[in-house]
Amino acid sequence: MEFLLYLALGACAGVLAGLFGVGGGIIIVPVLVFSFKAQGFDPSILTHLAVGTSLATIIFTSVNAIREHHRRGAVRWPIFVWLTVGILIGAGFGALTAEAISGPNLQKIIGVFALVIAAQLALDLKPKASRTVPGKFGLTVAGSVIGWASAIFGIGGGSLTVPFLTWRSVPMQQAVATSSACGLPIALSSALFFMILGWHDPLLPAHSLGFVYLPALLGIALTSMFFARIGARLAHKLSPKLLKRLFAALLFCVGLNFLL
């Protein structure tokens, strides 16, 4: 039953990754936390295991989303390169920060983040395009912050990267596409750090590579790679206003559950 849940979760995460450039982690982490609790995993490590596993799944989600966006010429590769430089720096510090936070407190932090994203989606809050794209140093600094926060929350960074790029006058479709591309270095570097940091933890369940739980990774990866392409295609065809609000309602419930 757990594996079927992971397959369904991968499908949802894939569509979200392609449609919004959010990497799917914002919904993967809470579901994995609930799943790991049901399986009786130790409370002190299950949140870190959920975050690390989520980041590893985003590797697979990002690949197909990037291919689809690149095929449509929407990825701003020069922006991607310098954001990635910062992301690789920030992701390591983010993983170290997450490891230093206790499991219950990390859940509360993720809950607050889910509520913030829910409000942003429900109210359609977007920064106005008021500035131009920064230079190499500015993009590197921004990438460091995005990478740091993404590693803590177990996300692909889209909920941070997309608003930043739209604020910097990048058109929405290009912002989503470039954000999807940035999800790959975020996931690769952060997942690697979570594997290393959790490698010798005696409380981890069987079939774990550090803070990455392989059965969940496999199930989510199998479906997310296919559905990410569907989400990317929808991003170029549909107005996702209603879907955003439904997604916001789900995140609101998740956030409250983590905080109460």
Side-chain angles (χ1 to χ4, degrees):
M1 286 298 295
E2 287 84 4
F3 193 71
L4 291 177
L5 171 65
Y6 299 145
L7 291 172
L9 181 55
C12 293
V15 171
L16 291 173
L19 188 57
F20 299 125
V22 298
I26 192 66
I27 194 63
I28 290 175
V29 172
V31 175
L32 287 181
V33 167
F34 298 144
S35 174
F36 293 165
K37 282 182 179 178
Q39 293 177 71
F41 292 177
D42 191 283
S44 65
I45 56 93
L46 68 82
T47 307
H48 297 84
L49 191 64
V51 171
T53 304
S54 170
L55 289 162
T57 65
I58 293 168
I59 296 171
F60 301 94
T61 305
S62 297
V63 170
N64 274 338
I66 291 170
R67 289 175 60 190
E68 189 65 28
H69 285 303
H70 175 67
R71 188 176 68 83
R72 296 174 180 272
V75 180
R76 297 278 292 270
W77 291 111
I79 295 175
F80 163 83
V81 168
W82 289 104
L83 281 176
T84 297
V85 172
I87 284 167
L88 295 177
I89 297 169
F93 286 106
L96 289 169
T97 303
E99 197 217 5
I101 302 171
S102 69
N105 285 336
L106 186 56
Q107 285 189 33
K108 288 182 172 59
I109 292 170
I110 294 171
V112 171
F113 181 71
L115 291 178
V116 170
I117 299 303
Q120 185 262 326
L121 288 171
L123 301 175
D124 199 24
L125 299 175
K126 298 177 184 176
K128 293 183 179 180
S130 57
R131 299 193 179 187
T132 58
V133 176
K136 297 175 182 178
F137 178 76
L139 288 172
T140 301
V141 172
S144 298
V145 175
I146 291 167
W148 175 78
S150 299
I152 294 174
F153 300 129
I155 61 173
S159 51
L160 305 172
T161 309
V162 172
F164 169 72
L165 292 178
T166 54
W167 174 51
R168 290 295 187 160
S169 303
V170 177
M172 178 55 72
Q173 286 188 348
Q174 293 181 9
V176 170
T178 306
S179 171
S180 291
C182 289
L184 184 58
I186 288 172
L188 281 169
S189 54
S190 301
L192 178 60
F193 276 106
F194 271 89
M195 285 182 187
I196 294 170
L197 292 171
W199 194 262
H200 295 295
D201 197 310
L203 299 175
L204 288 170
H207 313 301
S208 296
L209 286 178
F211 289 129
V212 174
Y213 186 55
L214 294 180
L217 173 60
L218 176 62
I220 294 170
L222 283 174
T223 51
S224 66
M225 292 184 72
F226 172 75
F227 281 90
R229 298 181 68 179
I230 295 176
R233 290 172 185 168
L234 290 174
H236 293 271
K237 294 180 180 180
L238 301 178
S239 173
K241 187 174 182 179
L242 176 60
L243 184 57
K244 278 186 178 182
R245 289 182 176 173
L246 292 174
F247 186 41
L250 175 62
L251 288 180
F252 183 76
C253 294
V254 168
L256 284 182
N257 187 277
F258 272 16
L259 290 172
L260 299 178

